[in-house]
Amino acid sequence: MNKNFKKWVSIIFIALFFALIVFTILMNVTATNSNNKAKNQLKIQQEKLDSNKNNYQDKFNDEFNQYKNNLYKSKDAKLSSITLNNENYSKAKDSLDKFLSSYFTYKNQKTFNERKDYLLSNDLITKSFANSDKFDSPKDSTGNSYIDASGLTSTYKGNSIYSNFITNGKGSISVYALVTFDSQYRDSWVSTATNLYKIDYNMENMKINGINKISTIENKGTATRSN
């Protein structure tokens, strides 16, 4: 009796043990499937969000372009002018910044001459402008370099640019620029000037075709050492 009882207890215990193992395996499989299902659902939701985001972005771009085109075609001259001016300004500003920084920076005759080559090689100015008297070297009374003789240097400090005329993006736009730079003779005197310039900028080839000084807005001199 006792032997049969122990035998059945052992059988039941082993059966329960295997049942527990099977149950654990089934639970793990179920959990894995649930996790995979949850991951797939999250992936699908993320894809939908990305798709909606792209659709909204495309819709926004389409509406913005339509709005911009409507402004261009507007019979209201003020709306049309403001829109075109903003676009012309943004296109021109990078080229104008690079041009002005180079044009108003030199430390001797050699670097003064190198400005033209730099501006030409970087497609910032036209050949006709490069060959104009704006790049001529100043001479002293003996015919030698005034820059080297006087120790003249120029250091660009900054600008404020204002577009003037309206174009369709294929012609020239006249730009007013307030340019600030330092001029120094040897080590004895520094002059900080802010001048107003009118710049001829070609919207089609994105190059500067000329610059002319309009007036001096401010000029301050500072002695750096006593002679």
Side-chain angles (χ1 to χ4, degrees), residues 172-185:
S172 293
I173 180 173
S174 292
V175 174
Y176 287 117
L178 284 174
V179 183
T180 302
F181 59 95
D182 287 342
S183 298
Q184 186 168 0
Y185 294 88

Side-chain angles (χ1 to χ4, degrees), residues 6-161:
K6 290 181 179 179
K7 180 180 178 180
W8 280 107
V9 169
S10 297
I11 292 172
I12 293 171
F13 178 78
I14 292 172
L16 289 174
F17 176 75
F18 280 107
L20 180 61
I21 291 176
V22 171
F23 177 77
T24 302
I25 292 173
L26 290 174
M27 289 298 294
N28 287 335
V29 170
T30 302
T32 300
N33 290 335
S34 297
N35 288 336
N36 291 336
K37 185 177 180 181
K39 288 179 180 179
N40 288 333
Q41 289 177 342
L42 288 173
K43 183 179 179 182
I44 292 171
Q45 289 177 356
Q46 185 62 49
E47 289 175 349
K48 287 182 179 179
L49 288 173
D50 291 340
S51 177
N52 290 336
K53 178 181 177 182
N54 292 332
N55 290 337
Y56 281 122
Q57 185 66 47
D58 291 340
K59 183 178 179 181
F60 171 81
N61 290 336
D62 290 340
E63 290 183 354
F64 176 78
N65 289 330
Q66 184 178 356
Y67 173 75
K68 184 172 67 173
N69 290 332
N70 288 339
L71 285 177
Y72 286 158
K73 297 175 183 178
S74 173
K75 294 181 180 180
D76 188 329
K78 291 181 179 179
L79 287 177
S80 177
S81 296
I82 291 171
T83 306
L84 283 171
N85 244 0
N86 287 341
E87 183 165 310
N88 289 341
Y89 176 86
S90 62
K91 286 181 178 178
K93 191 173 188 314
D94 183 58
S95 295
L96 290 166
D97 284 342
K98 291 177 181 177
F99 163 72
L100 293 170
S101 176
S102 177
Y103 188 78
F104 287 95
T105 300
Y106 55 86
K107 59 183 180 181
N108 50 39
Q109 184 63 55
K110 181 175 180 295
T111 53
F112 180 91
N113 294 337
E114 289 173 347
R115 299 173 308 148
K116 181 168 68 173
D117 293 334
Y118 170 81
L119 292 169
L120 278 172
S121 64
N122 285 275
D123 293 325
L124 292 170
I125 61 174
T126 60
K127 290 183 178 179
S128 60
F129 179 34
N131 293 326
S132 70
D133 59 3
K134 298 299 181 181
F135 287 92
D136 287 349
S137 301
K139 305 292 183 182
D140 62 12
S141 57
T142 65
N144 293 319
S145 168
Y146 173 78
I147 292 174
D148 286 343
S150 63
L152 175 63
T153 65
S154 179
T155 304
Y156 169 80
K157 299 189 73 175
N159 73 72
S160 297
I161 295 172

Side-chain angles (χ1 to χ4, degrees), residues 144-225:
N144 293 319
S145 168
Y146 173 78
I147 292 174
D148 286 343
S150 63
L152 175 63
T153 65
S154 179
T155 304
Y156 169 80
K157 299 189 73 175
N159 73 72
S160 297
I161 295 172
Y162 308 90
S163 58
N164 181 27
F165 299 118
I166 309 302
T167 74
N168 60 5
K170 295 182 179 179
S172 293
I173 180 173
S174 292
V175 174
Y176 287 117
L178 284 174
V179 183
T180 302
F181 59 95
D182 287 342
S183 298
Q184 186 168 0
Y185 294 88
R186 302 289 177 209
D187 292 326
S188 60
W189 191 263
V190 176
S191 174
T192 300
T194 298
N195 296 337
L196 177 63
Y197 294 88
K198 184 178 179 181
I199 301 171
D200 179 20
Y201 180 78
N202 189 290
M203 294 296 297
E204 190 167 5
N205 58 29
M206 298 172 138
K207 295 180 182 180
I208 289 86
N209 194 45
I211 182 170
N212 290 290
K213 179 181 174 182
I214 303 299
S215 63
T216 296
I217 306 301
E218 187 177 34
N219 197 336
K220 295 180 179 179
T222 305
T224 57
R225 74 176 185 186

